[in-house]
């Protein structure tokens, strides 16, 4: 695009131009031109074109006229904070005119939670240099949360696995290998194991972060070629109870709602979900709906007074695990007070019975349960949103069905604003279920237990049969590996050595497995330590395919840049392995679209029929909800007909089952786990981005303030929290979010960031009998203050080598916390005895003799690094939200901090007399 004459720009100065709808700062240095985005990311102002340009430490830079940070004119990176970057544009001079090319943006989909946000990735010289929300995508309408806005900062080749590695003997280091060497070895070992011990002696453990096409190939490889159903996924840990609940109550794994229902509801009932943190973009939509409709009420069911709960009109702080008793008691009240929709019950359901009245189990006031029931029964449109608080339980399926019972009893389903809506935890847990990528499922929502379904899939795949024997689910799989029943395991795109419950037992199992293949994008994942063969996989922005989000919406994922090194797409790796096992004819795919087209045929005539969908249509019309024969369907069951033998929805006699592990004198605290706003899963990606540590820099154990006092523990003391399986040393924090007798720890921190294995050293592997989902939300623990003899903090410039070296030392200390702050690597360490000289020497090698003091404090706004203290001070001085946004900029970018800003303004406002 021709912008201006070169002579119009004074040498060594800048000018601003509109290029592709964006403000661009263009700088002239002699007869060269450089172009970067005009917006200063620290101030949010479009001012860089007025900055001073020059050479700084050998780098051509522009200095922001606001806060004086320096940005490279060649890469856009901030010299003071490498986590910040401005867009760079291709600029040139031709025949005396300046030309600037609009940014190349590739439309793709976010790789984090199940909201399924559209992302526009800006590419410059083969690198994603910035991202923004896709305004055309229906899931987010241009918005991104803090994790989404920093996706480009997680594209770190220095942390990536770049080439295959193998070892032929345990105890030896892996060595670099060619793809042929690595895949040949894997095929030989799996084939030998199958020949000697049978197909059930091998297993595949895959991920809800795989694309649908990846999932499909792994499922076909396992069940169609090898002949075992031993393929399961980390989705078993988050969504299988929701699946079981939908199937038990409604007949199919099909969320009946859509995001637009938020705008039509007059009651939003959130259960077991800190939506503001786990699904921030969806929560922003709820906030907007409430602003437009003051009559919209929000009820939150959660043992903790989370940010989500504090924003609600009503919070039911139930005893952990008692959701079924609550929902049954609410239904009892609805029936008693004549609020049932008798017509809907008669015409569209079967099995209705009034459940018992057991409010005492929940440990909340009876009048609160009655009030919540009346709100539910009197509402015109009730939308329920729920997530892991219901699912991760030995009672998870019944929790889901008991909530669905409320909707059926009041006719709150199949119409705008109404229905039970399970929020998916991962970006493609839905797609994995669609292709049958779990131990008890088959393609196209078919049931492994059905002979007819098995024969249909066998015919579609062109194989003799699909095995009848159920495969091992996640917990069962690793237990079988530990017992030696499963000899070889292939793990792809997930980190079970941190994410599984009772994780030390999982690590022991992996240590004694005969052969372990790990297919991974990031080289430092805890599970990589156990790999005999390590295979580099392509990651976000590097692969083609599709994903399905929580509202059944299928989106395209597009490659914006090449994968680094020798990394390959996941489906290609699986297909190459299959060909080495003799399955070439079953895996003829040349591109991801070939796989999608085959998957599409398996859905024809099914509840998720996408026979009318194609890559071409997705390119032309954008994301689409299933089923899609001729057009997309926003809501299901609008006609009151359900995919059950009778065509009716089923009331499930949901029984309350207490948590598997009760508290006692030795373990008197109920521990629950959850997510942070700015981190994701086991931090293999988000743990590389400094900005994402600011909100919660270190792992902590949250306890009720009164409990903290009664045990003589001060805020910030180091404590050892122990369960019957393991322990962790954490900082204790008093919290007004927790009931007495409850404790909370986040799930993300593992061995790369702490001295132990993290929260899952404490959790147990008991699981729901229907869904086989483990009870990650409840464990009995005790807490003891740790007497520390040595404690010190360190910081140094953050590099991949320094972070890797520091992580390797964390296990030598009783307490350790590694984080990033700006361009610094920060570590806090403590021990009950003086560390060995060799350990102190290793620390000095990393951090230097003196080290640098690690920064302290917590940032509520990650986008602009606005501290909790600054916001609290402004609130106490009487600041309004508008003033906060104007003066500090917090809440003006991604908006993820908005719920906390509103809470702090309310809680810290000056008292007027």
């Amino acid at each position: 695009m021709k912008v201006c004459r070169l002579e119009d720009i004074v040498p060594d100065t800048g000018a601003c131009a509109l290029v592709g709808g964006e403000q661009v700062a263009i700088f002239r240095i002699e007869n060269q031109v450089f172009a970067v985005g005009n917006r200063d990311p620290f101030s949010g102002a479009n001012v860089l074109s007025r900055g001073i340009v020059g050479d700084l430490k050998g780098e051509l830079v522009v200095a922001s006229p606001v806060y004086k940070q320096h940005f490279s004119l060649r890469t856009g990176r901030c010299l003071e904070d490498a986590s910040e970057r401005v867009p760079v544009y291709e600029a040139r001079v031709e025949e005396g005119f300046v030309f600037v090319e609009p940014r190349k943006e590739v439309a793709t989909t976010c790789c984090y939670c199940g909201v399924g946000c559209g992302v526009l990735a800006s590419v410059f010289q083969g690198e994603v240099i910035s991202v923004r929300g896709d305004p055309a995508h229906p899931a987010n309408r241009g918005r991104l949360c803090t994790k989404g806005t920093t996706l480009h900062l997680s594209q770190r080749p220095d942390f990536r696995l770049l080439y295959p590695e193998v070892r032929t003997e345990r105890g030896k280091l892996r060595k670099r290998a060619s793809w042929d060497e690595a895949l040949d070895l894997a095929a030989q070992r799996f084939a030998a194991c199958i020949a000697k011990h049978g197909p059930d002696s091998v297993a595949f453990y895959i991920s809800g972060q795989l694309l649908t096409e990846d999932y499909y190939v792994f499922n076909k490889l396992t069940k169609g070629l090898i002949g075992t159903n031993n393929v399961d996924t980390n989705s078993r840990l988050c969504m299988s109870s929701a699946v079981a609940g939908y199937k038990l109550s409604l007949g199919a794994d099909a969320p009946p709602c859509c995001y637009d229902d938020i705008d039509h509801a007059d009651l939003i009932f959130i259960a077991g979900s800190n939506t503001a943190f786990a699904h921030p973009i969806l929560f922003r939509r709820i906030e907007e709906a409430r602003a437009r409709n003051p009559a919209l009420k929000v009820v939150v069911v959660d043992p903790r007074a989370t940010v989500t709960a504090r924003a609600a009109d009503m919070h039911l702080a139930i005893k952990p695990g008692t959701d079924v008793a609550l929902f049954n008691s609410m239904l009892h009240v609805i029936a008693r007070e004549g609020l049932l929709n008798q017509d809907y019950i008669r015409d569209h359901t079967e099995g209705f019975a009034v459940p018992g009245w057991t409010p005492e189990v929940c440990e909340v006031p009876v009048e609160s349960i009655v009030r919540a029931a009346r709100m539910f029964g009197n509402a015109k449109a009730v939308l329920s949103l729920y997530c892991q608080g219901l699912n991760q339980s030995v009672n998870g399926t019944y929790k889901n069905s008991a909530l669905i019972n409320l909707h059926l009893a009041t006719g709150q389903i199949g119409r705008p604003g109404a229905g039970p809506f399970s929020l998916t935890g991962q970006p493609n847990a839905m797609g994995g279920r669609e292709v049958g990528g779990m131990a008890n499922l088959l393609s196209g929502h078919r049931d492994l237990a059905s002979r007819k379904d098995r024969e249909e899939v066998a015919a579609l795949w062109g194989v003799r049969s699909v095995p009848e024997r159920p495969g091992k689910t996640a917990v069962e799989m690793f237990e079988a590996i530990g017992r030696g029943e499963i000899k070889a395991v292939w793990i792809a795109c997930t980190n079970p050595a941190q994410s599984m419950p009772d994780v030390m037992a999982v690590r022991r199992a992996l240590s004694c497995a005969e052969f372990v293949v790990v297919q991974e994008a990031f080289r430092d994942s805890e599970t990589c330590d156990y790999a005999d063969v390590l295979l580099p996989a392509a990651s976000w922005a590097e692969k083609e395919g599709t994903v399905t989000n929580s509202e059944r919406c299928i989106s395209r994922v597009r490659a914006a840049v090449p994968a680094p090194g020798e990394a390959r797409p996941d489906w290609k790796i699986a297909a190459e392995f299959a060909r080495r096992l003799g399955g070439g004819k079953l895996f003829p795919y040349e591109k991801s679209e070939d796989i999608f087209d085959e998957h599409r045929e398996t859905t024809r005539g099914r509840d998720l029929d996408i026979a009318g969908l194609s890559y071409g249509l997705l390119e032309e019309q954008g994301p689409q909800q299933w089923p899609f024969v001729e057009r997309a369907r926003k809501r299901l069951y609008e006609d009151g007909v359900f995919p059950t033998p009778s065509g009716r929805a089923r009331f499930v006699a949901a029984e309350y089952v207490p948590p598997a592990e009760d508290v006692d004198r030795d373990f008197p605290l109920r521990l629950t786990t959850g997510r942070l706003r700015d981190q994701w899963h086991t931090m293999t990606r988000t743990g590389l981005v400094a900005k994402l540590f600011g909100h919660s820099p270190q792992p902590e154990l949250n306890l009720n303030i009164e409990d903290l006092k009664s045990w003589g523990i001060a805020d910030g003391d180091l404590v050892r929290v122990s369960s019957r399986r393991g322990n962790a040393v954490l900082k204790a924090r008093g919290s007004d979010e927790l009931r007495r007798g409850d404790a909370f720890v986040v799930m993300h921190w593992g061995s790369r960031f702490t001295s132990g294995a993290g929260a899952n050293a404490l959790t147990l592997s008991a699981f729901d009998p229907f869904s086989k989902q483990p009870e990650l939300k409840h464990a009995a623990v005790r807490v003891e203050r740790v007497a520390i003899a040595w404690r010190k903090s360190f910081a140094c410039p953050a590099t991949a080598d320094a972070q890797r070296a520091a992580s390797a030392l964390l296990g030598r200390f009783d307490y350790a916390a590694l984080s990033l702050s700006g361009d610094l690597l920060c570590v806090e360490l403590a021990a009950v005895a003086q560390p060995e000289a060799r350990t102190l020497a290793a620390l000095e090698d990393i951090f230097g003799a003196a080290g640098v003091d690690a920064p302290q404090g917590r940032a509520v706004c990650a986008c602009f690094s606005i501290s909790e203290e600054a916001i609290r001070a402004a609130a106490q001085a009487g600041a309004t939200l508008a003033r906060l946004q104007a003066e500090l900029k917090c809440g003006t970018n991604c908006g993820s901090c908005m719920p906390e800003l509103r809470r702090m303004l309310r809680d810290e406002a000056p008292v007027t007399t």
Side-chain angles (χ1 to χ4, degrees):
M1 174 181 173
K2 185 188 290 186
V3 174
C4 63
R5 293 181 177 275
L6 179 63
E7 63 190 32
D8 292 338
I9 305 176
V10 176
D12 299 325
T13 67
C16 182
L18 201 63
V19 178
E22 297 178 306
Q23 285 196 32
V24 177
I26 306 167
F27 300 97
R28 176 183 175 185
I29 298 178
E30 296 180 350
N31 290 323
Q32 280 188 295
V33 287
F34 300 87
V36 299
N38 195 36
R39 181 177 177 274
D40 173 9
F42 292 94
S43 67
N46 288 302
V47 294
L48 291 187
S49 61
R50 302 201 298 264
I52 298 172
V53 293
D55 185 290
L56 181 64
K57 299 177 182 179
E59 185 84 41
L60 284 174
V61 299
V62 57
S64 169
V66 182
Y67 295 131
K68 311 305 180 187
Q69 284 90 353
H70 298 84
F71 299 91
S72 167
L73 296 182
R74 290 191 170 90
T75 68
R77 293 191 189 278
C78 174
L79 269 63
E80 289 79 15
D81 183 352
S83 68
E84 288 291 354
R85 189 170 184 171
V86 294
V88 178
Y89 298 77
E90 292 189 26
R92 67 187 187 278
V93 178
E94 287 185 8
E95 298 179 354
F97 286 92
V98 175
F99 289 80
V100 178
E101 298 302 323
R103 277 197 287 174
K104 176 190 174 186
E105 287 191 320
V106 177
T108 186
T109 310
C110 183
C111 61
Y112 290 126
C113 78
V115 173
C117 295
V119 176
L120 296 177
S122 180
V123 179
F124 181 71
Q125 295 181 349
E127 185 180 353
V128 178
I129 60 169
S130 65
V131 296
R132 64 187 179 101
D134 186 351
H137 199 290
N140 58 317
R141 302 171 177 174
R143 284 209 167 107
L144 291 176
C145 72
T146 47
K147 294 186 294 292
T149 58
T150 57
L151 269 168
H152 59 297
L153 301 177
S154 70
Q155 299 290 98
R156 296 281 303 273
D158 47 351
F159 283 92
R160 292 291 297 275
L161 184 60
L162 300 176
Y163 47 78
E165 297 177 8
V166 302
R167 64 182 176 194
T168 54
E169 292 182 42
R170 284 289 168 85
K172 291 191 174 182
L173 294 176
R174 289 186 303 269
K175 295 182 179 180
R176 181 171 182 170
S178 68
W179 270 103
D180 283 340
E181 289 170 330
L183 289 173
D184 285 348
L185 176 61
Q188 290 163 11
R189 294 295 299 270
F190 267 68
C193 193
I194 293 165
K196 185 175 181 180
H197 303 288
D200 286 341
S201 66
V202 302
F204 292 80
Y205 187 65
I206 54 179
S207 168
Q209 293 165 72
L210 291 172
L211 307 186
T212 299
E213 293 77 1
D214 303 324
Y215 250 126
Y216 185 89
V217 172
F218 270 111
N219 191 45
K220 187 177 181 182
L221 160 67
T222 309
K223 297 168 182 171
L225 177 62
I226 293 176
T228 179
N229 289 311
N230 283 344
V231 56
D232 213 52
T233 163
N234 62 9
S235 300
R236 180 73 58 184
L237 309 184
C238 61
M239 299 311 302
S240 53
S241 290
V243 173
Y246 274 141
K247 292 174 72 173
L248 200 59
S249 297
L250 307 181
D253 173 22
C257 312
C258 62
Y259 297 153
D260 284 351
D261 285 324
I262 292 170
D263 303 320
H264 299 285
D266 61 353
L267 174 64
I268 295 178
F269 190 83
I270 301 175
S273 169
N274 186 9
T275 317
F277 278 18
H279 299 92
I281 296 302
L282 211 58
F283 195 75
R284 291 296 310 279
R285 194 157 176 174
I286 293 171
E287 290 180 310
E288 291 171 349
R290 295 177 81 183
R292 288 193 303 270
N293 177 18
L296 171 60
K297 301 299 180 185
V298 175
V299 174
V300 171
V301 180
D302 196 310
R304 293 192 298 136
T306 62
V307 171
T308 304
R310 290 173 185 265
D313 298 287
M314 183 181 188
H315 173 212
L316 295 169
I318 61 171
K319 178 182 177 181
T322 62
D323 307 78
V324 169
L326 172 69
F327 301 151
N328 283 348
S329 294
M330 287 176 62
L331 184 50
H332 185 97
V333 173
I334 287 170
R336 185 182 68 200
E337 301 201 357
L339 300 175
L340 297 171
N341 187 328
Q342 297 284 6
D343 291 341
Y344 196 89
I345 293 172
R346 181 189 65 245
D347 296 339
H348 303 296
T349 73
E350 59 190 11
F352 176 72
V354 179
W357 168 247
T358 56
E360 68 282 354
V361 174
C362 306
E363 297 184 1
V364 294
V366 169
E367 56 269 25
S368 296
I369 297 177
V370 172
R371 181 184 165 211
R374 288 171 177 164
M375 291 174 73
F376 201 109
N378 285 310
K380 295 177 182 178
V382 183
L383 181 67
S384 291
L385 306 175
Y386 49 99
C387 200
Q388 312 308 350
L390 299 195
N391 297 340
Q392 291 177 335
S393 164
V394 294
N395 204 196
T397 300
Y398 277 165
K399 288 181 181 181
N400 278 262
S401 286
L403 180 55
I404 294 172
N405 284 348
L406 287 170
H407 282 269
L408 298 177
T410 53
Q412 297 284 3
I413 189 171
R415 53 191 177 84
F421 196 174
S422 164
L423 300 181
T424 310
Q426 296 191 86
N428 201 34
M430 283 283 287
R433 285 135 56 187
E434 292 159 17
V435 304
M438 299 180 82
N440 59 319
L441 302 177
L442 289 173
S443 295
H445 280 182
R446 289 175 176 84
D447 194 339
L448 184 66
S450 165
R451 179 177 178 179
K452 177 177 176 290
D453 285 358
R454 293 196 306 273
E455 289 175 349
E456 284 182 3
V457 171
L460 286 163
W461 284 348
V463 298
R464 183 180 300 173
S465 64
V466 172
E468 177 181 0
R469 181 180 178 181
K472 301 290 188 187
T473 60
V475 170
E476 296 170 324
M477 182 181 293
F478 287 96
E479 288 177 344
I481 294 169
R483 292 191 303 267
E485 295 172 18
I486 292 175
K487 313 288 184 182
V489 61
W490 189 301
I491 299 167
C493 195
T494 185
N495 190 15
Q498 187 192 329
S499 60
M500 286 290 293
D502 193 7
V503 74
M504 297 311 295
V506 171
R507 293 184 180 189
R508 289 191 294 271
L510 289 171
S511 295
C512 67
E514 290 186 9
F515 191 67
V516 178
V517 177
V518 176
Q519 181 172 318
E520 177 59 78
F522 296 92
R523 62 180 286 193
D524 298 309
S525 154
E526 282 86 345
T527 305
C528 291
D529 292 343
Y530 301 90
D532 298 299
V533 173
L534 199 50
L535 302 174
S539 188
W540 178 82
E542 300 160 3
K543 45 198 287 195
E544 296 279 340
T546 57
V547 292
T548 307
N549 72 359
S550 295
E551 63 169 350
R552 298 172 284 106
C553 189
I554 299 174
S555 297
R556 281 281 280 116
V557 174
R558 298 176 180 88
V561 294
E566 299 176 20
R568 295 180 177 181
D570 290 282
W571 72 263
K572 282 192 174 182
I573 299 171
E576 281 295 329
F577 174 71
R579 291 170 190 138
R580 283 166 166 79
L581 292 181
K585 291 183 179 179
L586 295 177
F587 300 87
Y589 318 118
E590 296 293 330
K591 56 187 184 300
S592 61
E593 186 176 6
D594 300 337
I595 306 165
F596 182 88
D597 290 346
E598 184 175 311
H599 158 58
R600 179 182 62 207
E601 292 308 304
T602 72
T603 72
R604 192 177 293 273
R606 307 289 300 175
D607 67 291
L608 71 164
D609 193 333
I610 56 170
L613 206 56
S614 66
Y615 271 30
L617 189 142
L618 290 171
E619 293 289 346
E620 181 181 329
Q621 299 183 23
Q624 301 293 328
Q625 288 175 275
W626 62 253
F628 191 109
V629 180
E630 295 180 351
R631 60 183 178 85
R633 193 184 308 170
K634 292 182 72 170
R635 298 177 187 87
L636 304 181
Y637 316 133
E638 292 175 298
D639 57 1
V641 177
F642 294 85
T644 62
S646 66
R648 293 170 174 265
R650 297 180 286 235
F651 281 94
V652 175
E655 300 175 6
Y656 166 63
V657 177
E661 188 171 73
D662 200 2
V663 294
D664 57 23
R665 186 173 61 183
D666 293 328
F667 298 95
L669 284 170
R670 292 176 292 267
L671 177 74
T672 189
T673 64
R675 300 180 182 225
L676 293 173
R677 188 191 72 188
D678 295 347
Q679 295 293 351
W680 173 250
H681 279 204
T682 64
M683 299 168 64
T684 48
R685 179 184 291 277
T686 54
L688 310 180
V689 181
K691 186 178 288 189
L692 299 181
F693 283 87
H695 186 250
S696 298
Q698 295 178 333
E700 297 175 341
L701 177 74
N702 293 121
L703 297 164
N704 178 276
I705 294 171
E706 295 305 315
D707 284 341
L708 211 62
K709 291 178 181 176
S710 68
W711 293 324
I713 298 172
D715 198 65
D717 277 355
L718 296 183
V719 296
R720 189 179 307 278
V721 53
S722 303
S723 74
R724 292 178 175 87
R725 290 151 298 281
N727 65 82
V729 177
L730 302 167
K731 279 185 182 176
R733 290 294 181 200
S735 171
D736 60 358
E737 291 186 356
L738 290 158
R739 302 156 22 101
R740 293 211 66 171
D742 292 354
F744 174 78
V745 66
V746 297
M747 57 175 273
H748 307 290
W749 308 90
S751 301
R752 285 167 293 121
F753 300 95
T754 69
S755 58
N760 283 325
L762 307 168
T763 55
L764 67 162
S765 57
F767 53 72
D768 179 285
F770 302 100
S771 67
K772 305 293 182 75
Q773 181 162 355
E775 187 156 71
L776 288 159
K777 285 293 183 187
H778 194 286
V781 300
R782 65 169 174 259
V783 173
E784 304 158 293
R785 189 172 178 275
V786 179
I788 295 298
W790 182 94
R791 189 170 185 174
K792 194 168 183 180
S793 295
F794 300 86
C796 70
T799 66
D801 288 342
Q803 186 167 338
R804 200 167 284 122
S807 290
L809 296 176
L810 302 183
R812 300 184 189 181
F813 297 88
D814 295 281
Y815 169 80
L818 182 151
S819 63
L820 303 174
S821 178
D823 59 356
L824 291 178
L825 168 69
C826 306
V827 176
E828 184 178 355
L829 303 168
V832 298
Q834 180 74 13
E836 295 179 0
R838 65 185 181 93
T839 298
L840 295 175
L843 286 172
E844 186 173 330
D845 287 342
I846 301 168
F847 297 100
V852 180
D853 287 338
Q856 303 292 320
R858 172 177 173 268
V860 172
C861 175
C863 295
F864 296 107
S865 300
I866 307 302
S867 71
E868 186 175 36
E869 291 76 11
I871 295 169
R872 180 173 288 113
Q876 291 170 349
T880 62
L881 179 60
R883 182 175 154 194
L884 271 182
Q885 292 176 311
E887 295 182 359
L888 300 180
K889 299 297 182 183
C890 48
T892 61
N893 190 34
C894 79
S896 295
C897 62
M898 289 291 284
E900 284 183 272
L901 293 180
R902 290 192 175 96
R903 177 181 64 79
M904 293 181 70
L905 286 171
R906 182 180 65 246
D907 294 349
E908 302 289 342
V911 177
T912 56
T913 57

